[in-house]
Amino acid sequence: MVYVLLAEGFELVEAMAPVDILHRAKVEVRTVGVTGKTVKASNGVPVTADIEIAGAVTEGLDCIVLPGGLPGTINLEKSGEVQGLIDFCQSEGKLIGAICAAPSILAHKGLLKGREATAFPSFQKDVEEGGGRLSEKFVCRDGQFITARGMGVSTSFGLELAAALTSPETAAGIKTGIQFA
């Protein structure tokens, strides 16, 4: 199972594109409201989450996805429950995806130290200050971490998550099916 964590002010496309791609890959995915059941995206669009963070469990959890956006990233980082899910995934070798500003959360925890990673340009300093090796790639995987630059590569980010959780062939089939360049 994959949790896509939604906190007030999240970037809508960075959350929903991976949800869509993972559904196409037949991966069980749930949106998790960190700041309530209905969460407003950074553009004001309300999204009703599948579950609230209080109902999140680690049994059967394979991956968490941290969308960027402001103040969504700040709200994710200050959540003790989100920090606990990150710690669980890190210690259990589970996949962690973070896009745009959200890789800064991982960098602040020291999880990107010595790893190749990327982030939105204004958050790349966080990756470097956290000991990460800044990648020129728009979507980058290093071990259990998949990071991405921003909203413009949300579909590519979702495809990389799908490849890691299923197979590269499954992701390639989805890419072909959506006529993605």
Side-chain angles (χ1 to χ4, degrees), residues 5-49:
L5 306 176
L6 309 178
E8 196 77 13
F10 72 96
E11 172 51 56
L12 185 65
V13 175
E14 293 170 3
M16 293 301 121
V19 167
D20 180 273
I21 297 292
L22 293 172
H23 273 288
R24 291 172 191 257
K26 301 195 180 355
V27 172
E28 184 180 0
V29 59
R30 300 245 190 278
T31 54
V32 179
V34 173
T35 53
K37 179 77 169 165
T38 300
V39 184
K40 280 191 183 175
S42 59
N43 61 5
V45 173
V47 173
T48 301

Side-chain angles (χ1 to χ4, degrees), residues 90 96 98 101-119 123-124 126-134 140 142 144-147:
Q90 189 277 326
I96 301 173
S104 67
I105 299 169
L106 305 177
H108 296 157
K109 291 178 72 66
L111 300 179
L112 299 180
K113 188 173 186 174
R115 295 186 178 276
E116 185 180 14
T118 192
F123 288 88
Q124 291 177 353
D126 294 271
V127 171
E128 291 179 313
E129 289 171 1
R133 296 187 327 270
L134 191 59
C140 176
D142 190 337
Q144 74 188 101
F145 299 98
I146 297 175
T147 55

Side-chain angles (χ1 to χ4, degrees), residues 34-133:
V34 173
T35 53
K37 179 77 169 165
T38 300
V39 184
K40 280 191 183 175
S42 59
N43 61 5
V45 173
V47 173
T48 301
D50 295 317
I51 63 171
E52 290 187 60
I53 192 80
V57 297
T58 56
E59 184 178 335
L61 184 61
D62 299 308
C63 172
I64 58 170
V65 177
L66 307 168
L70 291 174
T73 298
I74 294 164
N75 289 329
L76 286 175
E77 188 163 18
K78 70 182 183 183
S79 166
E81 294 94 340
V82 170
Q83 292 292 336
L85 288 171
I86 294 169
D87 293 343
F88 169 80
C89 288
Q90 189 277 326
S91 68
E92 296 296 317
K94 306 293 184 180
L95 198 62
I96 301 173
I99 184 169
C100 192
S104 67
I105 299 169
L106 305 177
H108 296 157
K109 291 178 72 66
L111 300 179
L112 299 180
K113 188 173 186 174
R115 295 186 178 276
E116 185 180 14
T118 192
F120 191 75
S122 57
F123 288 88
Q124 291 177 353
K125 67 179 176 357
D126 294 271
V127 171
E128 291 179 313
E129 289 171 1
R133 296 187 327 270

